[in-house]
Structure formats: structure tokens, C-alpha cells
């Protein structure tokens, strides 16, 4: 396989096939060039369109027996959503954090971090905490979230994710398209700027291409936290016949992230400007607003990465009832961290203690996916069968560096709380971990339609995983209890039932059983020779409605998820079972009051808790506590009004409220609730759109996310920002 991938230099034959994108590819040239995003700030629920995620039978969203959310290009442009995280956070009950140790992580349906899988055009990048990076939206067509454990395909090593999967869908070239140039430039507070150019064109009636370049940079709102991102994409489509096409694509990214690792918690009694409305602790520590813009990192800090996706996608139409798809792909990534990351207030010396940590990642993923779709039956009983084969190899090397001569890894030096001297990183000792995972999987998915009134979905995934992990200590020896070389065979199942109760309203019920990623579960075992994968079970009941002449869309989902995983707390300790459960409801609606006024919103309620639960990362009993970064409720609302004063002017207002969350599994530190307001005004002409956006209008000080590895500090959300943007198409 390596030889094949090297020969193609970058190849990916994605199962997000041309047929799956039929709605998009059947658009007329006029529709493709349409620049009118008026009203799209109140996002459509896209129930009448085909999502790529969790949709092996190529159905409209309304007919899928699971919850799949879609934010399309129009909403991304209307709200000026700059990166993937901003898009995902606009969905029902999804929370994200910006910890530089794992940019970015997500939380939904009571689960977070590696229990949320991240896909790029249907292919997994591996564990989100090791692979997710900030990604600009200019080259993105839409972003989808398949909730819960309902999807059986396009997973990396069975990494279905108890909470769900985020799928980033890139823009593609189109046949018979006249040359089109898309330009977006923006500038905002903190010297934040973005320049983006996309060119797409048909070469002839059988081929087309698209090239996109996107660059983002900012000085950062915290002192000395400049950052930049460069993304370049190129894809070429060749269709020698109506029954066959092939697309070769490359995606290269280079980023340098803000060196902000958080703001330290200090005793309220010593703070110059104490704010107890952001974080609450049992020992009365708070955020000192006098340190809101202070950076405690070293001057030569590093948070960089480069990555390259290469892939070839091929699609065959064998007959009216049968089609095939193939995907060959390779993903290469290098990432570096070199920082003083941990900041702890010293009550004796009244200063901040800092650590030193060096991390380097080198990852290579390569794989081959094959799929066959076949339909058969009659008008009363229809069948659609999908057979998929997946084969991949994931090679991961990590270097970790500490100062082994220090008495305490987390107390290398100290700096002043208010005027820290940055200093330099210095020298550290280094060790290396190695991990290779190979996967071979067979997926069968079958939909039975009974007189177009009842739809039954049956799915099974059988996979064989070879997992080889070596933990190499600083002296060069292998720590045997943390090394693992094993083969794992596991099964996943899905059963769904969909029933149209009318032409406008569909109800569904599903049950699924899957597994969280192996790399995520090994943390529970003191001795990996005792390892076995987790089990995740889900029940979901839902409603999808489109009515009022398509002016109103509505979704409702009620779910119950349980994850169980064995753990071993110490050497020779008996195996016990950790339990984590989540029950909740999600509601979303979009309504067009008239041609000018639209409203929409969503509400999520989550009742999540640990059963019997031992936290292996901190060695504490968290039984019956609430999981970290899981709010009980989240509420979002948007409204927009256009053609103001009979001019092509639109205004919009967004509101987002997030309930309090616990920052640690002990539930002794609370991130308090927060509310954000975003507003925009835009003027649209034939070929361009001028927009002005204000985010966090009230300048709320808030902590959106907790990184449990840094219990003495929190990463604060951005203060009020404003941005002016110009977008043009030619």
C-alpha cells in the first residue's frame, strides 16, 4: 500500500462519492455561482438535502433514522464563521474548547474529547486530541455532525465516538463550469486579518479543477500570542464517461497557534480585581481580571504543525441499481509543542510556578476503502444493500521532553503574577513513544422499505485491529506494563426504524452498540496486558418535520447513552468497571415569518453522570459525579432581517447561553454559565458582499472549556472583537 500511495504522491478515493453529492453536482451553473446568502444566518436544518455523514443509502436527511446536523456554505458565509470550531458550536448542544494542548476538542451528548471523532471528507484523522487543528472555512462546503454512535462507516479503528462525529466537507470542482474566482478578505481587532482566493474552472467537458489558498493571522488578544494559518487545496476531476469519474486532491496546512495556555486561579484575598463569576472553587480561588491579558509562556514558545492530505476518489455507475466507490488516501502530519504550560499560584512566594514541556508528533495514516451499493426489490418491498471494506495503517511517533534534573517537573521557575519575565525554554531530556495500528473492517448496511411507509435499517461492522504500542522511558528501556502488542476483533451493530407519519413529519427510533477509540481507553489500565475495549450503547427516538410550505423545519431527538470500560487502578489490582451515562433531549427549529424576517434556534438538555467511576488520570473516585465540560443545558437563537429601507442590507443577531460545567472529575471546580451576543450587518451587491461583525458584544469574561491536565488555570474566551469583510465572486 505504501508503494501505491507514494506513486500517487497524494491519493484518496473517498467513500463520500459523486453519487452521494448528487444534490450538489446537479446544481445549475447559475445556482453554483449564486452569491445570495440573504437570510442564511438563520440556518436551514437541511432536512430536504442529502448529508454525506451516516448516509450510506444516499437519502435526504428527513429519511435518515438518526440525528445528523448540517451547516452549509451559505450559513458559514452569512455569519462570517471563520473556522470549523465556530461552525460546530452553532449546532445543537455542541461545546468546544481552545486548549493549545489539543486544539480543538468537542463535547456533546454528555461525552467529550476523544469520544468525538473528527473526519475530513469522511475519513478519520485519528484521535481528536492528537490531530485536530484550527481549520479555516474558506475551502469548506459544509460541516456535519452525526450525533451519538449511529454511524458504522468512515471510522478510524472503530473510533465511532460515544458523542458523535464531526465531518468537514471540502469544496469540489464541477464539470461544465465557467471560470469562477472567489475572493474573501477581512480585517478586525487585534490586527486579525484573512486573505482567501479560490479559482475553479472546467478544463473541458470531461474535466475540471479547483485551487484554493487561505491565510489567517492575528496578534492575539493576550500579550505575545501572535498566530497564523496557511491552507492550500487543489483538486482535479476527470470524468471520461457518464458512468465513471476520478478526483485527485491535495490539502496542505501549516499553522502556528497562540501561545496562550491559560490564566491562573488565585486566592480571592490576593487578587487586585477578583471576578468570582467565571470560575468557582471550593478553596475560593478566582480569576484576577488584572491578569486577563497576561501571558506566562516563554519567549521562544512553539505550537506549530504541518499536515498533508492526499487522496484519489473513484466512482463507477455499473447500472441503474448498482454503483461502486473506491478511495485511496494518505495523511501526514508533524506537530511541535515547546512551552511553559502549567501556571500555579504559590501562596508562599506570591508568584507563579511554571513547568517546561516539549512534545513532538509524527503521524502517517494510509488506507484503502471500497464500497458497493446495490438496490433490488419491487414497489412494495425495496432493498438497498451497502457493502464496504476498509483497510488502514496508522503510524504514530511521539517525543516527550522534561527536565529530568529538576526536583519537580512542574516547578522549573517562577515569574511575577502581574509582570512576568518570559525567559527561555532551555534544555530538556527526551523520550519516545511508538504506536502502530492496522485496521481491516467489513461493514454491511441494509435498508428495507415496506411500501414506502416503514423503513428498517440494519447494520453490522466487523473489524480486526492490530495494535502495537511501545512506551520508551527516559533511560531508553521499555516500560513493559505500558506497552501493548495485541490483536483485537470486535463487532458493532445498528438497528433503525423510520416511519413517515405524514408527508411532512417523520419519526425514527434507533439502537446502536459500538466502541470508543482504543487509544482513549488504554488510559484506564495500569497494566495494558489486561486491556479490552469499551462498549457504548445508545437508544434514540426522534422527529424530523418540514411543513408550512417548507418555511418551517423542526427536529427533536431524545437519547440514552451508556459507556462501560474496565479499569485497573494499580499493579495487581482487580479489574473493575467504570460507567458513564447520559440521557437528554435536543430541539432545533427554523421559521421564515416572511420574505424578510427569519428566526431560528435550538435547545439541548443533558443529564450526564458517572456511575461507579475511577479517574485514572488523577487517581480519584468520581462516582456519581458529572463529567467534565458537560453543561446541563445549552440555548442558541438567531434572527435576521433583510431589505432594510428597501436597500440590499441585512442585519442579524445571535444569542448563545451555556450552563455551568465542572472543570474536574472531582466536581470541586465550576466553570460558571455565560451568555454571548453576536451581531452583523451586511450590504450585498451583484458581485460582492460587505459585512461587519461584532462577536461577544457585551465583552463577557468567560471560560468555555476545561483542560483537566491544567487544574490551576483556565483558558478564557476571547473578549469583544469586531471585523469588516469583503467577499466577491467573478
Amino acid at each position: 500500500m505504501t508503494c501505491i500511495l507514494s506513486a500517487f504522491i497524494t491519493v484518496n478515493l473517498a467513500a463520500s462519492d459523486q453519487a452521494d453529492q448528487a444534490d450538489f453536482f446537479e446544481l445549475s451553473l447559475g445556482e453554483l455561482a449564486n452569491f445570495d446568502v440573504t437570510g442564511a444566518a438563520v440556518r436551514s436544518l437541511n432536512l430536504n438535502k442529502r448529508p454525506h455523514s451516516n448516509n450510506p443509502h444516499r437519502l435526504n436527511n428527513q429519511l435518515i433514522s438518526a440525528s445528523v446536523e448540517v451547516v452549509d456554505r451559505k450559513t458559514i458565509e452569512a455569519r462570517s464563521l471563520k473556522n470549523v470550531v465556530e461552525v460546530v458550536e452553532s449546532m445543537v448542544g455542541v461545546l468546544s474548547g481552545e486548549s493549545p494542548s489539543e486544539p480543538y476538542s468537542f463535547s456533546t451528548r454528555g461525552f467529550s474529547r476523544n469520544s468525538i471523532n473528527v473526519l475530513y471528507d469522511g475519513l478519520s484523522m485519528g484521535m481528536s486530541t492528537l490531530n485536530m487543528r484550527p481549520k479555516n472555512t474558506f475551502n469548506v462546503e459544509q460541516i456535519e455532525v452525526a450525533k451519538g454512535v449511529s454511524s458504522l462507516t468512515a471510522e478510524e479503528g472503530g473510533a465511532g465516538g460515544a458523542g458523535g462525529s464531526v465531518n468537514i466537507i471540502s469544496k469540489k470542482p464541477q464539470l461544465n463550469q465557467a471560470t469562477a474566482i472567489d475572493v474573501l478578505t477581512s480585517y478586525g481587532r487585534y490586527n486579525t486579518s484573512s486573505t482567501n482566493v479560490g479559482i475553479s474552472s472546467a478544463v473541458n467537458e470531461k474535466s475540471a479543477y479547483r485551487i484554493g489558498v487561505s491565510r489567517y493571522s492575528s496578534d492575539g488578544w493576550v500579550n505575545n500570542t501572535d498566530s497564523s494559518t496557511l491552507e492550500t487545496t487543489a483538486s482535479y476531476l476527470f470524468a471520461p464517461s457518464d458512468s465513471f469519474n476520478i478526483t485527485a486532491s491535495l490539502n496542505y496546512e501549516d499553522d502556528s497557534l497562540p501561545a496562550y495556555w491559560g490564566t491562573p486561579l488565585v486566592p480571592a484575598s490576593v487578587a487586585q480585581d477578583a471576578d468570582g463569576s467565571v470560575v468557582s472553587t471550593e478553596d475560593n480561588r478566582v480569576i484576577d481580571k488584572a491578569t486577563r491579558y497576561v501571558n506566562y509562556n516563554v519567549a521562544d514558545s512553539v505550537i506549530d504543525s504541518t499536515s498533508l492530505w492526499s487522496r484519489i476518489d473513484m466512482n463507477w455507475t455499473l447500472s441503474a441499481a448498482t454503483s461502486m466507490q473506491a478511495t485511496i488516501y494518505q495523511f501526514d502530519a508533524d506537530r511541535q509543542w515547546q512551552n511553559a504550560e502549567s501556571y500555579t499560584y504559590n501562596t508562599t512566594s506570591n508568584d507563579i510556578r511554571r513547568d517546561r514541556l516539549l512534545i513532538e508528533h509524527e503521524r502517517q495514516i494510509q488506507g484503502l476503502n471500497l464500497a458497493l451499493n446495490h438496490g433490488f426489490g419491487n414497489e412494495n418491498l425495496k432493498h438497498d444493500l451497502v457493502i464496504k471494506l476498509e483497510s488502514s495503517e496508522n503510524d504514530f511517533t511521539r517525543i516527550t521532553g522534561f527536565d529530568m534534573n529538576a526536583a519537580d517537573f512542574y516547578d522549573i521557575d517562577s515569574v511575577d503574577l502581574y509582570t512576568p519575565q518570559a525567559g527561555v525554554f532551555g534544555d530538556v531530556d527526551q523520550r519516545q513513544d511508538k504506536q502502530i495500528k492496522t485496521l481491516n473492517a467489513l461493514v454491511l448496511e441494509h435498508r428495507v422499505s415496506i411500501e414506502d411507509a416503514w423503513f428498517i435499517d440494519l447494520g453490522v461492522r466487523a473489524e480486526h485491529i492490530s495494535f502495537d504500542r511501545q512506551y520508551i522511558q527516559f533511560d531508553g528501556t521499555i516500560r513493559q506494563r505500558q506497552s501493548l502488542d495485541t490483536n483485537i476483533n470486535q463487532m458493532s451493530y445498528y438497528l433503525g426504524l423510520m416511519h413517515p407519519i405524514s408527508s411532512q413529519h417523520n419519526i425514527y427510533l434507533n439502537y446502536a452498540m459500538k466502541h470508543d477509540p482504543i487509544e482513549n481507553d488504554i488510559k484506564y489500565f495500569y497494566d495494558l496486558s489486561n486491556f479490552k475495549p469499551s462498549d457504548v450503547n445508545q437508544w434514540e427516538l426522534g422527529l424530523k418535520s418540514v411543513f408550512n410550505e417548507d418555511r418551517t423545519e423542526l427536529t427533536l431527538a431524545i437519547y440514552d447513552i451508556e459507556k462501560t470500560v474496565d479499569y485497573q487502578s494499580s499493579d495487581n489490582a482487580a479489574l473493575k468497571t467504570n460507567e458513564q451515562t447520559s440521557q437528554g433531549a435536543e430541539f432545533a427549529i427554523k421559521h421564515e415569518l416572511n420574505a424578510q424576517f427569519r428566526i431560528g434556534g435550538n435547545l439541548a438538555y443533558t443529564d450526564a453522570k458517572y456511575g461507579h467511576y475511577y479517574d485514572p488520570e488523577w487517581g480519584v473516585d468520581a462516582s456519581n459525579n458529572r463529567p467534565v465540560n458537560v453543561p446541563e443545558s445549552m440555548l442558541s437563537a438567531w434572527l435576521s432581517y433583510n431589505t432594510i429601507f428597501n436597500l440590499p442590507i441585512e442585519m442579524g443577531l445571535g444569542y448563545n447561553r451555556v450552563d455551568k460545567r465542572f472543570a474536574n472529575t472531582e466536581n470541586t471546580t465550576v466553570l460558571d454559565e455565560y451568555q454571548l451576543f453576536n451581531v452583523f450587518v451586511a450590504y450585498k451587491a451583484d458581485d460582492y458582499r460587505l459585512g461587519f461583525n461584532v462577536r461577544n458584544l457585551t465583552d463577557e469574561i468567560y471560560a468555555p472549556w476545561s483542560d483537566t491536565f491544567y487544574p490551576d488555570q483556565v483558558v478564557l474566551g476571547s473578549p469583544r472583537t469586531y471585523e469588516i469583510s469583503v467577499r466577491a465572486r467573478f
Side-chain angles (χ1 to χ4, degrees), residues 374-407:
H374 180 64
F376 57 96
N378 53 49
E379 292 184 359
N380 296 323
L381 190 64
K382 301 175 185 177
H383 300 265
D384 188 46
L385 176 65
V386 179
I387 303 173
K388 293 190 177 183
L389 297 174
E390 300 176 16
S391 180
S392 65
E393 180 178 281
N394 187 331
D395 192 341
F396 176 59
T397 300
R398 176 175 62 183
I399 293 175
T400 305
F402 293 99
D403 185 349
M404 295 297 294
N405 296 318

Side-chain angles (χ1 to χ4, degrees), residues 505-714:
H505 309 286
N506 291 9
I507 59 172
Y508 67 87
L509 174 69
N510 70 50
Y511 167 76
M513 193 285 288
K514 293 185 67 176
H515 315 277
D516 250 7
I518 291 174
E519 300 95 321
N520 189 44
D521 290 337
I522 59 177
K523 67 184 179 184
Y524 294 100
F525 292 84
Y526 181 85
D527 184 347
L528 294 188
S529 64
N530 296 304
F531 173 77
K532 67 176 183 178
S534 61
D535 290 328
V536 184
N537 293 269
Q538 171 185 280
W539 288 95
E540 180 179 350
L541 174 66
L543 169 69
K544 300 181 181 182
S545 298
V546 180
F547 54 99
N548 193 21
E549 297 180 343
D550 292 348
R551 291 166 51 201
T552 304
E553 295 178 287
L554 179 151
T555 62
L556 173 65
I558 302 171
Y559 61 86
D560 185 299
I561 304 174
E562 179 181 14
K563 175 182 176 179
T564 57
V565 59
D566 288 344
Y567 75 90
Q568 182 186 29
S569 59
S570 61
D571 192 18
N572 297 320
L575 292 179
K576 298 182 180 179
T577 300
N578 272 353
E579 299 174 333
Q580 183 175 348
T581 61
S582 177
Q583 299 85 35
E586 299 170 340
F587 172 78
I589 190 170
K590 185 268 307 188
H591 178 62
E592 299 177 17
L593 281 80
N594 53 48
Q596 293 176 285
F597 192 26
R598 293 170 173 83
I599 59 174
N602 57 69
L603 173 66
Y605 170 79
T606 306
D607 179 17
K609 68 176 183 179
Y610 298 122
H612 173 75
Y613 193 89
Y614 171 80
D615 179 359
E617 294 172 319
W618 291 99
V620 300
D621 184 351
S623 298
N624 300 314
N625 289 350
R626 189 174 182 88
V628 175
N629 292 319
V630 177
E632 185 175 62
S633 66
M634 295 179 66
L635 171 66
S636 294
W638 267 89
L639 60 86
S640 70
Y641 193 86
N642 61 69
T643 320
I644 299 175
F645 306 121
N646 290 320
L647 295 173
I649 297 175
E650 181 181 15
M651 295 186 66
L653 170 66
Y655 169 76
N656 185 41
R657 178 190 176 277
V658 177
D659 205 356
K660 68 178 183 180
R661 292 127 288 130
F662 288 108
N664 57 2
T665 53
E666 293 177 287
N667 288 182
T668 57
T669 300
V670 177
L671 306 182
D672 290 319
E673 71 172 61
Y674 62 88
Q675 302 179 77
L676 300 178
F677 292 88
N678 300 317
V679 298
F680 79 87
V681 59
Y683 178 90
K684 178 193 171 296
D686 291 339
D687 297 324
Y688 68 89
R689 182 177 186 268
L690 176 65
F692 181 72
N693 289 69
V694 180
R695 297 176 175 85
N696 191 4
L697 181 66
T698 60
D699 200 26
E700 177 107 345
I701 302 177
Y702 67 103
W705 187 265
S706 168
D707 189 330
T708 57
F709 294 103
Y710 304 93
D712 299 314
Q713 66 208 59
V714 294

Side-chain angles (χ1 to χ4, degrees), residues 8-300:
F8 279 112
I9 200 170
T10 73
V11 239
N12 175 24
L13 304 151
S16 61
D17 61 6
Q18 198 96 352
D20 275 343
Q21 302 179 48
D23 289 338
F24 182 65
F25 281 90
E26 290 171 1
L27 293 175
S28 67
L29 293 181
E31 289 172 317
L32 287 170
N34 184 13
F35 191 38
D36 188 3
V37 297
T38 302
V42 179
R43 71 178 180 94
S44 168
L45 303 185
N46 290 297
L47 295 180
N48 287 327
K49 294 184 178 180
R50 302 181 193 178
H52 299 70
S53 306
N54 198 14
N55 192 15
H57 307 293
R58 308 169 189 169
L59 305 168
N60 287 350
N61 199 345
Q62 194 172 10
L63 293 175
I64 297 175
S65 61
S67 178
V68 181
E69 285 194 76
V70 179
V71 176
D72 60 20
R73 172 179 56 83
K74 286 191 173 184
T75 297
I76 292 173
E77 292 181 6
R79 294 189 190 176
S80 296
L81 300 174
K82 300 187 298 295
N83 58 55
V84 168
V85 167
E86 289 185 348
V87 179
V88 174
E89 285 187 324
S90 70
M91 299 187 187
V92 185
V94 184
L95 185 67
S96 177
E98 299 185 48
S99 170
S101 65
E102 46 188 62
Y104 291 93
S105 290
F106 301 104
S107 170
T108 187
R109 291 198 169 184
F111 295 85
S112 62
R113 302 181 72 231
N114 291 316
S115 289
I116 315 296
N117 197 18
V118 180
L119 312 173
Y120 185 70
D121 278 331
L123 298 173
S124 177
M125 293 180 281
M127 287 175 53
S128 60
T129 57
L130 301 180
N131 293 281
M132 185 59 184
R133 305 292 287 196
K135 184 176 181 61
N136 299 338
T137 56
F138 181 76
N139 295 307
V140 171
E141 180 62 31
Q142 62 192 40
I143 296 176
E144 305 171 353
V145 173
K147 296 294 189 64
V149 293
S150 54
S151 177
L152 295 180
T153 58
E155 309 292 356
E156 191 274 324
S165 297
V166 176
N167 194 2
I168 304 165
I169 309 299
S170 63
K171 293 179 179 177
K172 306 293 194 305
Q174 311 300 321
L175 294 176
N176 303 317
Q177 181 182 2
T179 301
I181 300 175
D182 190 8
V183 178
L184 169 64
T185 183
S186 66
Y187 184 81
R189 192 180 183 188
Y190 305 115
N191 197 29
T192 300
S193 65
S194 178
T195 303
N196 312 267
V197 179
I199 302 174
S200 56
S201 178
V203 178
N204 52 48
E205 63 181 10
K206 295 184 178 180
S207 61
Y209 70 88
R210 183 186 185 277
I211 298 173
V213 179
S214 177
R215 189 182 189 281
Y216 168 87
S217 65
S218 177
D219 290 345
W221 64 272
V222 176
N223 297 334
N224 302 316
T225 56
D226 57 297
S227 61
S228 64
T229 303
L230 174 65
E231 179 183 6
T232 302
T233 66
S235 53
Y236 183 80
L237 168 65
F238 177 56
S241 70
D242 293 338
S243 61
F244 176 75
N245 65 74
I246 180 170
T247 302
S249 59
L250 290 171
N251 185 300
Y252 173 78
E253 295 184 43
D254 188 321
D255 65 56
S256 178
L257 304 187
Y260 170 57
W261 287 84
T263 300
L265 301 175
V266 300
S269 58
V270 305
Q272 290 184 3
D273 190 1
D275 189 339
S277 66
V278 180
V279 182
S280 306
T281 68
E282 289 188 350
D283 56 0
N284 199 28
R285 289 180 297 160
V286 298
I287 291 295
D288 187 345
K289 288 193 288 187
T291 66
R292 184 182 186 186
Y293 302 99
V294 177
N295 184 5
Y296 298 91
N297 209 334
V298 293
D300 55 345

Side-chain angles (χ1 to χ4, degrees), residues 288-319:
D288 187 345
K289 288 193 288 187
T291 66
R292 184 182 186 186
Y293 302 99
V294 177
N295 184 5
Y296 298 91
N297 209 334
V298 293
D300 55 345
S301 62
V302 174
I303 312 176
D304 295 343
S305 81
T306 59
S307 64
L308 176 66
W309 268 109
S310 53
R311 57 187 294 163
I312 290 179
D313 301 321
M314 294 185 288
N315 304 280
W316 296 266
T317 300
L318 303 179
S319 69

